[in-house]
Amino acid sequence: MKTTKINAIYNEIFETYPKVEIEEHIKKLIELDYYYPFNSTFYCITNTVHQNFEYISKNFTACTGLPVDKMISGGMDYFWSLFHPEDIKHWLKSLTDLMTFTMTELDDTQRKRMSYTWNYRIKVNDDKYVNIIQNTTPLQFDKTNKPIIGMAHYTVLDGNLKMDICATAKYLNENNEYETLFYKNQSTSNTLNIISNRERDIIRLLITKKTSEEIAKDLYISKHTVNTHRRNILKKLNIDSTFELMSYFKNNPKLI
């Protein structure tokens, strides 16, 4: 799919008011990059209106071998040109589903406390593909409270790792714990889609070694409800123990 067609679809998804200015608090985030350590992740300040990057962190080249100036000058058109052709359709469907969910299922307050995750493959400097898990948190909204400026954090994983393309929307609740409000596997309808959003939250907390009591407190549910979910998860996945469950999802982090 040519980037011109991607551009048109992207415009339709994020259609909004044209005027966007970067606010002062976002400029402060950019300044923090000086202190950010080198590792296998990088971040960008994304602008969905102008389809460009307001800022690209110093780790970008270290992670991909690609020059920052091409990203700055080429904007999202250049970044999209790096996508694996097989992933573009599913990636666009992820964006469409997430934005539809955001604008139809969430109120204005919730939209400001959301975090969105999806994944795809891009070609890096040695003409090999790597997996990218992108997590974007909105920083600025238009007059209709549609997210237009975001902090996008990219985790780079081995391209040989086979990953279904999934879309997830999580809400930061009053206890500062993320709750999954939306999840969809765009690539397949595999058996993991039988796991509910609440069960997905519980799995994620189990991996952090939280007890049922701690999970119940974080998610505002009873310990009995947590234990019931844990039994149901094991039954659905045909797994015998919590240890086996934790090992499985630690080796497949994209699933949660």
Side-chain angles (χ1 to χ4, degrees):
M1 184 182 293
K2 294 183 178 180
T3 56
T4 51
K5 187 172 182 180
I6 296 174
N7 186 292
I9 298 173
Y10 192 89
N11 265 330
E12 184 177 344
I13 296 170
F14 292 101
E15 182 181 3
T16 186
Y17 297 91
K19 185 177 180 181
V20 177
E21 295 179 358
I22 298 299
E23 297 178 354
E24 287 299 319
H25 72 279
I26 298 176
K27 293 178 181 178
K28 294 296 182 182
L29 289 173
I30 292 173
E31 292 174 7
L32 289 174
D33 189 36
Y34 176 81
Y35 303 98
Y36 196 67
F38 284 101
N39 53 36
S40 60
T41 67
F42 63 93
Y43 75 87
C44 300
I45 305 294
T46 61
N47 185 323
T48 61
V49 179
H50 299 150
Q51 298 184 14
N52 65 356
F53 299 99
E54 300 290 347
Y55 184 75
I56 299 169
S57 72
K58 64 186 180 186
N59 274 353
F60 173 74
T61 298
C63 289
T64 66
L66 301 171
V68 171
D69 59 351
K70 282 193 175 182
M71 283 277 282
I72 293 294
S73 62
M76 292 183 181
D77 277 342
Y78 170 71
F79 192 52
W80 296 334
S81 74
L82 303 173
F83 278 34
H84 195 294
E86 295 177 2
D87 294 351
I88 292 174
K89 176 182 176 181
H90 298 307
W91 164 73
L92 285 171
K93 187 66 167 60
S94 293
L95 295 186
T96 301
D97 288 350
L98 288 172
M99 187 53 59
T100 300
F101 170 78
T102 297
M103 300 308 295
T104 60
E105 302 295 330
L106 303 177
D107 59 36
D108 291 349
T109 301
Q110 288 176 311
R111 289 175 198 166
K112 296 179 181 179
R113 297 176 66 85
M114 296 299 296
S115 177
Y116 304 93
T117 303
W118 57 89
N119 60 288
Y120 45 83
R121 291 169 290 176
I122 65 168
K123 184 182 291 186
V124 292
N125 68 321
D126 56 2
D127 285 335
K128 294 181 179 179
Y129 285 96
V130 297
N131 282 293
I132 298 289
I133 299 178
Q134 178 176 340
N135 177 265
T136 296
T137 302
L139 300 177
Q140 197 168 315
F141 302 80
D142 71 3
K143 295 178 182 178
T144 64
N145 277 320
K146 176 179 284 189
I148 52 175
I149 300 291
M151 168 74 82
H153 186 269
Y154 306 79
T155 300
V156 182
L157 300 176
D158 191 331
N160 292 321
L161 179 64
K162 178 62 177 176
M163 299 178 67
D164 287 344
I165 295 180
C166 303
T168 307
K170 295 177 182 177
Y171 170 68
L172 186 64
N173 65 28
E174 294 179 358
N175 209 36
N176 286 328
E177 173 60 44
Y178 276 109
E179 298 179 35
T180 302
L181 300 186
F182 176 90
Y183 171 85
K184 187 174 182 182
N185 186 319
Q186 305 289 0
S187 301
T188 67
S189 56
N190 63 26
T191 56
L192 287 169
N193 284 339
I194 65 176
I195 299 296
S196 70
N197 288 337
R198 177 60 82 196
E199 290 167 344
R200 203 172 299 278
D201 290 331
I202 289 171
I203 292 169
R204 181 164 44 82
L205 292 171
L206 284 172
I207 290 176
T208 65
K209 299 184 178 180
K210 289 197 173 186
T211 64
S212 290
E213 290 88 347
E214 291 170 326
I215 293 172
K217 182 178 179 181
D218 285 343
L219 299 181
Y220 301 103
I221 56 179
S222 70
K223 177 184 173 182
H224 173 73
T225 300
V226 173
N227 287 333
T228 299
H229 280 309
R230 291 178 64 167
R231 288 193 297 270
N232 289 339
I233 292 166
L234 296 179
K235 184 177 180 180
K236 286 181 178 181
L237 298 180
N238 195 27
I239 291 177
D240 295 326
S241 67
T242 299
F243 176 79
E244 186 179 348
L245 177 76
M246 292 170 65
S247 297
Y248 179 81
F249 280 94
K250 278 186 176 180
N251 292 326
N252 297 275
K254 66 185 177 66
L255 301 177
I256 56 169

